[in-house]
Amino acid sequence: QVQLVESGGRSVQAGGSLTLSCTLSGGTLSSYAMGWFRQAPGKEREFVAAISWSGTMTKYADSVKGRFTISRDNDKNTAYLQMNSLKHEDTAVYSCALGLSPYELGVANFGYWGQGTQVTVSS
């Protein structure tokens, strides 16, 4: 059974940094593109970042470009989201997702999410 488990979320002050991890079990990470999404209270889930199966292609939401970095280690079956210069508006539950086409980074490619990890940024 395929399962995604996120970790690394916590409370942090504005301007701080966090690294989130997403580990896949029951499958092979290199078969998929990976994405990160977030959902703030009262808001719809939004795209944050995506990475192709090999890591050679990445895509970011404008709101996080230059501050967040997505990466992956296929040998560890784990994807990461490095978040720097955090802002209060980054507060959300962050979830990773599998992209069924390993090369496609569009939102429509992502169809399986983990449970998420809470990131709270205090101003």
Side-chain angles (χ1 to χ4, degrees):
Q1 181 179 355
V2 173
Q3 186 176 15
L4 291 169
V5 178
E6 301 93 339
S7 62
R10 61 177 177 88
S11 295
V12 64
Q13 289 196 334
S17 298
L18 277 179
T19 298
L20 305 182
S21 299
C22 168
T23 300
L24 172 67
S25 60
T28 302
L29 196 72
S30 59
S31 299
Y32 306 96
M34 292 298 298
W36 284 96
F37 294 76
R38 66 186 182 186
Q39 187 166 19
K43 295 187 177 181
E44 293 187 354
R45 182 168 56 200
E46 65 173 352
F47 169 79
V48 175
I51 187 168
S52 61
W53 75 275
S54 63
T56 56
M57 295 187 296
T58 58
K59 180 179 179 179
Y60 295 92
D62 287 344
S63 59
V64 307
K65 204 170 292 183
R67 299 189 298 122
F68 290 11
T69 302
I70 188 171
S71 62
R72 63 192 296 158
D73 185 336
N74 290 335
D75 290 339
K76 295 182 178 179
N77 251 19
T78 301
Y80 305 95
L81 185 67
Q82 172 69 41
M83 305 185 294
N84 297 326
S85 302
L86 283 161
K87 305 176 182 180
H88 176 67
E89 50 264 42
D90 294 319
T91 296
V93 174
Y94 284 72
S95 301
C96 60
L98 295 178
L100 297 184
S101 170
Y103 302 96
E104 175 57 52
L105 303 186
V107 171
N109 186 40
F110 295 94
Y112 185 84
W113 285 269
Q115 292 297 311
T117 185
Q118 176 70 48
V119 172
T120 302
V121 184
S122 57
S123 55

